[in-house]
Amino acid sequence: MKTAAVSQSDRGRFLLFGAAHVDRRAKADGPFHPGASNPGVLADSPGGSAFNAAVALQALGCSVAFLGARGGDDDGRRIAAEIDACGLRDLSATFLDRKTPTYTAVIDDHGELVAGIADMALYELLGPKLLKRRNVRDAIAAAEALIIDANLPSETIVAALEAAGARPVAAIGVSPAKVRRLLPVLPQLSALFLSRAEAAALVEVTAATNLRLIAELLAELGTRRAVISDGALEAAVLDAGKLVFQRPPVVRPADVTGAGDTLAAVASAAHLQGTSFLDSARRGIAAASLRVCAPIFPPNDFSAEIERLCEHLTDPTTRT
């Protein structure tokens, strides 16, 4: 099955609302030994779910406004400079007396996440009143679609859906600890993007539960469209009651950070332009594979690289 190409004549106008902070990663050089000292390399870079999605959208040629929060510290200034360098319109709130959130990940030698710690208390200050600011209201009015992440407080998520009106709003699950913040708005979301662990937490089962059952329980909660990714294993794609499974391309991951955010961005952009949700999800899955294996992201010709990987996708199946 060949995924339909997306027209570049109308690349989409998005507002991204959520996290932008510094990601710090410790990657093991060899097999990871829990509870022990592991030789490795430390690195950091701008990240955050909404920011990662914004970078992918920008690489596709979309127009992107960004709304988040940061502190008045060096990390905050670094994030502000990166948002500007990426060409995003920055609507973020700065809290001068607070520290900028951080995410610290421990990654094994295969590029898989061993553990992550999110120090993100500042995002709790992103209250619904922020959406009443004139520049934010104008940005929502100018946007064709919104993408939010579950770092936002529950009341702000509800307010964002109300402020969006008829515009499609997609959501990124972020983590098992925060994903249930999306529960009140599941039927209103245009699409939901989750890891298997996040989806399991949302429907209150263990991550070891069969993926089909997790997806079916998600649909029972009112979710219309969703992609539940599972690393190198098959992803579940839910679309208006229909459920299929898509295996991602075979790649060698270097770092899985940001993969789900990239999937959400690319799938949302394709769907906004009229591509079926299944084909949009397939493009997102291919883009996520690029994210985890590319030495530099995004690559120079992001769209062409996505198309190249889509050519190698197997056909979706109805059983897993």
Side-chain angles (χ1 to χ4, degrees), residues 24 193 258 318:
R24 294 185 166 88
F193 298 93
T318 58

Side-chain angles (χ1 to χ4, degrees), residues 22-36:
V22 176
D23 281 344
R24 294 185 166 88
R25 298 180 299 281
K27 184 177 181 182
D29 284 338
F32 186 82
H33 299 284

Side-chain angles (χ1 to χ4, degrees), residues 39 63 121 188 203 244 277:
S63 173
Q188 287 79 49
V203 301
V244 299
F277 187 68

Side-chain angles (χ1 to χ4, degrees), residues 94-242:
T94 301
F95 296 85
L96 295 175
D97 60 339
R98 304 291 182 117
K99 68 176 183 177
T100 300
T102 61
Y103 173 68
T104 303
V106 178
I107 300 166
D108 68 18
D109 57 314
H110 299 294
E112 297 293 340
L113 181 68
V114 175
I117 298 295
D119 182 1
M120 300 184 183
L122 183 64
Y123 294 138
E124 300 304 315
L125 300 182
L126 284 171
K129 288 185 178 180
L130 188 62
L131 294 164
K132 298 183 183 297
R133 286 171 27 185
R134 177 61 182 270
N135 63 342
V136 174
R137 296 200 314 269
D138 290 346
I140 293 173
E144 295 176 276
L146 282 68
I147 300 177
I148 63 174
D149 72 38
N151 285 298
L152 302 172
S154 297
E155 61 271 21
T156 306
I157 290 171
V158 172
L161 268 291
E162 293 174 351
R167 294 169 185 82
V169 181
I172 302 170
V174 173
S175 72
K178 294 181 177 179
V179 69
R180 287 186 62 82
R181 296 179 178 190
L182 298 170
L183 195 58
V185 300
L186 291 182
Q188 287 79 49
L189 292 173
S190 60
L192 179 59
F193 298 93
L194 306 167
S195 69
R196 182 177 188 145
E198 292 159 4
L202 187 54
V203 301
E204 297 186 291
V205 298
T206 69
T209 303
N210 179 269
L211 187 59
R212 173 179 288 278
L213 178 56
I214 293 174
E216 290 171 347
L217 291 172
L218 195 60
E220 289 180 8
L221 291 176
T223 305
R224 293 179 293 158
R225 299 185 187 92
V227 180
I228 306 172
S229 54
D230 193 16
L233 303 178
E234 286 183 319
V237 181
L238 176 67
D239 184 9
K242 297 180 180 178

Side-chain angles (χ1 to χ4, degrees), residues 262-275:
T262 300
L263 191 164
V266 173
S268 296
H271 196 228
L272 181 65
Q273 294 165 358
T275 303

Side-chain angles (χ1 to χ4, degrees), residues 25-57:
R25 298 180 299 281
K27 184 177 181 182
D29 284 338
F32 186 82
H33 299 284
S37 177
N38 289 266
V41 177
L42 302 179
D44 61 62
S45 62
S49 289
F51 176 79
N52 292 334
V55 168
L57 288 171

